Amino acid sequence: MKPADVFIAVLVAVIWGLAFVASRIALDELSPELMTALRFSIAAIPCLFVRRPDVSWPLLIAISLSLFLGQFLAQAFAIAHGVPVGLSSVIVQSQALFTIAFAALVFRELPTRTQTAGVAIATIGLLMIAGTVGYDFSVAAFAVLMISPVSFAVGNLALRRAQGARMFDLFAWLCLAAAVPLFTLALVSNGPQPTWHALTHISLTGLACLLFLGGVSTSIAYWLWGRLLRDYPAAQVVPFALLVPFVGSAASSIVFGETFGRLRLAGMLTVIGGIAVMLLAKRPQALPKTA
């Protein structure tokens, strides 16, 4: 990779790691539904200037509900209900585990031995983390957070069906498809008056966090990531995502004073290690078709 593109890959990982901290700050003023709706509304602004990509509405909605709505709404709910930011950033990256598992089931992509070992290592790490649940946040919050990597994985596979679409245009319209139901959910769950009050009384700090989440972390970062995946093999680009949980955990410890017990820290490092094994493994081979 060119030095400039390496810098971009690292920059995207840093942006995504800091986005967990921005989400935590914004959630002090907004409900998870409203915060997520505003995030995608800001990211959907380019829809005013770009045409809808040549992707059917059912596929567009399916990708949006999994890759964006399901993933980020689950994150927001979990963080709002006490799951530490650094831990959240690690759990979300376990999507690699679920992506490989779902690809084997749906596309019959047989994982390599190295990938299987990575899945096993990451699973052990998740079990170690699960052993710390119930002390500083609830089992229910952890269960909600686990929806995020599962939705992420489903969205990854659904995104394959949109090959050939312009990345920037596609992600803008995916954000729009997520923002509409999220606003509806916010109005139903919070009520029109509380929703309006939250919108009109948001602080400058909360607004800055939303602009970062929507304009930078979602719109710009996803576009840059898509360009890298277009120009280089995935094996060269995807490992940079391993920086995200490190950035998220470090930023959370600095901003919120987040600390990790020995078992949780060991579990987090084990998950990251398993993900590294999965990402650095050779590409899985498709199972032969039977007559």
Side-chain angles (χ1 to χ4, degrees), residues 17 38 41 58 78 90 96 98 102 128 133 136 195 201 215 240 246-247 286:
L38 291 171
S41 297
V90 174
F98 296 102
F102 293 159
M128 294 169 68
V133 172
D136 51 349
T195 298
H201 289 77
F240 284 96
F246 287 106
V247 174

Side-chain angles (χ1 to χ4, degrees), residues 236-249:
Q236 286 186 277
V237 178
V238 175
F240 284 96
L242 289 172
L243 296 174
V244 175
F246 287 106
V247 174
S249 299

Side-chain angles (χ1 to χ4, degrees), residues 47-282:
C47 289
L48 298 173
F49 311 101
V50 298
R51 63 183 295 275
R52 181 171 68 87
D54 189 18
V55 176
S56 68
W57 276 110
L59 177 59
L60 189 73
I61 293 173
I63 298 173
S64 178
L65 293 182
S66 54
L67 188 63
F68 280 166
L69 190 151
Q71 178 195 168
F72 289 100
L73 184 60
Q75 282 183 38
F77 264 110
I79 293 174
H81 287 82
V83 180
V85 169
L87 179 61
S88 299
S89 66
V90 174
I91 295 298
V92 171
Q93 289 306 313
S94 70
Q95 56 85 17
L97 184 161
F98 296 102
T99 300
I100 291 175
F102 293 159
L105 293 173
V106 178
F107 297 108
R108 297 180 61 79
E109 291 181 353
L110 186 64
T112 64
R113 291 182 179 179
T114 305
Q115 285 181 318
T116 302
V119 169
I121 293 171
T123 302
I124 292 172
L126 287 175
L127 292 175
M128 294 169 68
I129 292 172
T132 69
V133 172
Y135 295 98
D136 51 349
F137 60 91
S138 67
V139 174
F142 183 74
V144 170
L145 179 59
M146 288 305 301
I147 295 174
S148 182
V150 173
S151 294
F152 198 164
V154 172
N156 285 338
L157 299 183
L159 194 59
R160 292 188 181 186
R161 302 281 301 276
Q163 290 182 351
R166 289 169 55 89
M167 283 293 110
F168 186 80
D169 300 3
L170 176 61
F171 280 115
W173 281 84
L174 289 175
C175 291
L176 178 64
V180 174
L182 281 168
F183 261 119
T184 303
L185 180 61
L187 288 171
V188 171
S189 60
N190 302 331
Q193 186 172 352
T195 298
W196 177 250
H197 182 273
L199 289 172
T200 55
H201 289 77
I202 188 170
S203 68
L204 290 177
T205 301
L207 181 60
C209 287
L210 284 175
L211 291 174
F212 176 79
L213 288 170
V216 180
S217 175
T218 305
S219 185
I220 295 176
Y222 267 97
W223 170 58
L224 291 174
W225 191 255
R227 285 186 57 194
L228 292 174
L229 289 174
R230 180 196 64 191
D231 297 337
Y232 298 96
Q236 286 186 277
V237 178
V238 175
F240 284 96
L242 289 172
L243 296 174
V244 175
F246 287 106
V247 174
S249 299
S252 179
S253 64
I254 295 172
V255 178
F256 305 117
E258 181 179 349
T259 57
F260 311 99
R262 291 183 179 180
L263 180 59
R264 182 173 295 175
L265 180 60
M268 292 168 65
L269 293 175
T270 302
V271 170
I272 295 173
I275 295 170
V277 172
M278 285 183 273
L279 294 181
L280 298 177
K282 293 182 179 180

